[in-house]
Amino acid sequence: MIIHIADLPVEWQDNHSDYVKGFSVDSSENPVMKIGFEVKPPECHGIQYFDSSTENVLRHDNGEILCANSDWSQATSYFTAPSGEYALPLAAMCSRFSYYNAFLMHASCVDLNGKGVIFAGYSGVGKTTQAQLWQKYFGAEIINGDKAFVREIDKDFYSCGLPWKGSSEYCLNQKTKLNAIVILRQSQENKLIRLNIMQATEFLMPHLFMPHWDEKCLDNTLGIIDRLLEKVPVMLLECRPDEDAVKLVHNTVF
């Protein structure tokens, strides 16, 4: 089937992955990448081998192996994911999507009347909680509670949904024009600080999924981030999980 993520068509060659079906489309356009799935590599006399053209190999500590060609346009995962959420196909997408001005963030994302805000931070800091507060007080749509692809399209930046959502329940197949990135810190007082580019880089980098395994993909991603920081404001929000924190960001951004 063809799935659309960040407005990019991907041929997903596994009909058993129910969690991506919400992103499937009827489309005749050529996919930017193809991802196949096998339970394990073929075997001969007890020796496992890869029978396709392989220039990149990724391994996950859960036992998953993924092989891809040089530009990540074709990849094969050798694994059966218990939950359906494969880890390495997402890593392969990050690599391939860097050719199309997109990168992945560990963040929640909301859309409010066509305007998007990303909340980034470490696990447990309250990314999904902030998104839910925006939903509660302003009626915002939660695109994803844990991850977001950010893509540059015609010199504007968009936050895009994807099927991977971690422990969050939210994942919508839509995109929103990105108006701000908010880095979260828990605090007893609500305070919002606009970061300069050097500060934004320091605070943002731990929450980006960087394809360090491929020099070209890494260079592509760093270039996208440089352009993002020139255009989209990045703020540090020290906050309580309450309505005042939501209004503080809303009034500043919009």
Side-chain angles (χ1 to χ4, degrees):
M1 66 177 140
I2 299 294
I3 60 174
H4 261 201
I5 296 178
D7 276 355
L8 294 170
V10 175
E11 185 176 322
W12 186 273
Q13 300 169 343
D14 177 17
N15 292 326
H16 301 291
S17 295
D18 291 338
Y19 76 105
V20 303
K21 287 186 177 178
F23 288 72
S24 66
V25 294
D26 291 326
S27 174
S28 59
E29 59 189 319
N30 293 325
V32 301
M33 72 179 302
K34 299 178 181 180
I35 304 178
F37 296 85
E38 301 290 343
V39 173
K40 62 181 182 179
E43 189 173 293
C44 181
H45 305 298
I47 299 172
Q48 290 187 337
Y49 63 96
F50 304 118
D51 59 353
S52 58
S53 176
T54 299
E55 297 190 44
N56 291 293
V57 177
L58 299 177
R59 296 177 184 269
H60 195 278
D61 57 12
N62 64 6
E64 185 179 358
I65 299 173
L66 181 137
C67 298
N69 60 354
S70 60
D71 65 359
W72 301 89
S73 60
Q74 296 190 47
T76 302
S77 169
Y78 296 94
F79 189 60
T80 300
S83 66
E85 285 205 7
Y86 294 86
L88 295 185
L90 180 57
M93 273 186 202
C94 291
S95 306
R96 181 60 178 166
F97 283 13
S98 73
Y99 287 80
Y100 297 89
N101 298 324
F103 65 92
L104 182 65
M105 289 188 64
H106 184 207
S108 64
C109 175
V110 299
D111 171 82
L112 182 60
N113 302 321
K115 298 177 180 180
V117 179
I118 276 178
F119 299 98
Y122 295 104
S123 296
V125 76
K127 298 184 297 296
T128 301
T129 298
Q130 281 296 319
Q132 290 170 331
L133 289 170
W134 275 66
Q135 183 184 59
K136 177 179 179 179
Y137 293 114
F138 290 111
E141 278 195 293
I142 302 175
I143 293 179
N144 196 296
D146 188 68
K147 295 179 179 66
F149 265 115
V150 175
R151 186 178 177 207
E152 183 184 21
I153 304 173
D154 297 330
K155 297 185 179 180
D156 286 320
F157 286 88
Y158 294 83
S159 181
C160 310
L162 68 161
W164 289 264
K165 59 185 186 298
S167 60
S168 165
E169 62 183 281
Y170 304 99
C171 65
L172 297 179
N173 186 11
Q174 65 186 63
K175 71 177 189 291
T176 181
K177 189 172 179 180
L178 188 55
N179 281 68
I181 296 173
V182 179
I183 312 296
L184 295 176
R185 275 186 179 176
Q186 294 178 351
S187 175
Q188 295 303 311
E189 296 183 3
N190 294 325
K191 184 179 180 181
L192 186 64
I193 305 167
R194 173 72 181 263
L195 303 176
N196 61 37
I197 289 180
M198 289 186 63
Q199 293 169 327
T201 302
E202 178 183 353
F203 279 95
L204 196 59
M205 289 302 288
H207 312 299
L208 307 181
F209 196 90
M210 306 295 291
H212 289 284
W213 47 83
D214 188 299
E215 184 176 356
K216 180 172 178 55
C217 296
L218 182 59
D219 286 344
N220 290 345
T221 303
L222 290 172
I224 305 162
I225 294 166
D226 283 344
R227 297 192 296 275
L228 172 81
L229 295 177
E230 292 283 350
K231 184 138 190 177
V232 178
V234 180
M235 305 175 186
L236 174 64
L237 176 64
E238 299 176 341
C239 68
R240 304 182 301 269
D242 61 16
E243 183 179 2
D244 288 342
V246 175
K247 288 183 176 179
L248 177 59
V249 176
H250 178 274
N251 294 340
T252 302
V253 173
F254 299 129

